[in-house]
Amino acid sequence: MLINETPPHVRRIDTDREDAYAFEITGHITASDVENMYGLLEGAYELHERIDLIIIIHDYEGFDWSAAWKDQVMFGKTRAFKHIRKCAVVGGPGWISSAIALFRPFLSMEMKHFEAAEMDAAWAWIGANPLPSPA
């Protein structure tokens, strides 16, 4: 059996608040990456009625758009909206800010885009801090 040496494109970052969740997204995002992230969020919803979320995007290489329209993913998105108080998106491609501005009026959560250089401001906006990575 071969071991997959490709690191995951979605990685959870521990925070200093139980109800604050953070994810780092890199590379090309696949259906399994999206399903993994929604699985982690489903666990968060079991523990907390409402959460704050920060998504940090860097080295973005694209997205498997067919993954966005799978039944499980659409259910995850719909379920997520009612549980998220604030969502900060840091970095990513240029169109992210425009997409957030377009959809913001239709969402029940507060959502804001921050440039990569504004990382500290994004963490402050959700009121949490990343914990050091285990060595």
Side-chain angles (χ1 to χ4, degrees):
M1 179 166 80
L2 296 174
I3 296 174
N4 185 357
E5 294 182 11
T6 304
H9 298 281
V10 176
R11 181 181 68 86
R12 181 163 179 225
I13 300 168
D14 290 326
T15 73
D16 62 355
R17 275 188 33 222
E18 285 186 18
D19 64 343
Y21 288 76
F23 294 96
E24 176 185 53
I25 298 176
T26 61
H28 183 83
I29 309 308
T30 65
S32 60
D33 295 318
V34 173
E35 289 171 15
N36 176 45
M37 187 169 87
Y38 281 119
L40 293 169
L41 287 172
E42 287 291 323
Y45 308 150
E46 293 298 319
L47 298 172
H48 309 284
E49 180 62 27
R50 305 278 294 196
I51 65 169
D52 293 319
L53 177 65
I54 184 169
I55 300 170
I56 302 161
I57 305 170
H58 62 85
D59 300 325
Y60 178 79
E61 295 176 3
F63 182 79
D64 180 1
W65 288 102
S66 64
W69 306 113
K70 286 187 172 186
D71 289 343
Q72 183 178 356
V73 173
M74 291 303 289
F75 175 74
K77 287 179 184 177
T78 303
R79 182 168 157 80
F81 292 155
K82 70 179 184 179
H83 290 281
I84 299 173
R85 277 184 300 258
K86 286 185 171 182
C87 178
V89 179
V90 180
W95 55 263
I96 291 282
S97 184
S98 297
I100 289 171
L102 177 67
F103 290 108
R104 187 180 301 128
F106 305 104
L107 303 174
S108 60
M109 72 180 104
E110 291 181 68
M111 191 169 200
K112 189 172 179 180
H113 179 256
F114 296 84
E115 296 298 327
E118 301 173 303
M119 180 82 67
D120 291 342
W123 281 102
W125 187 70
I126 68 161
N129 294 292
L131 292 178
S133 298

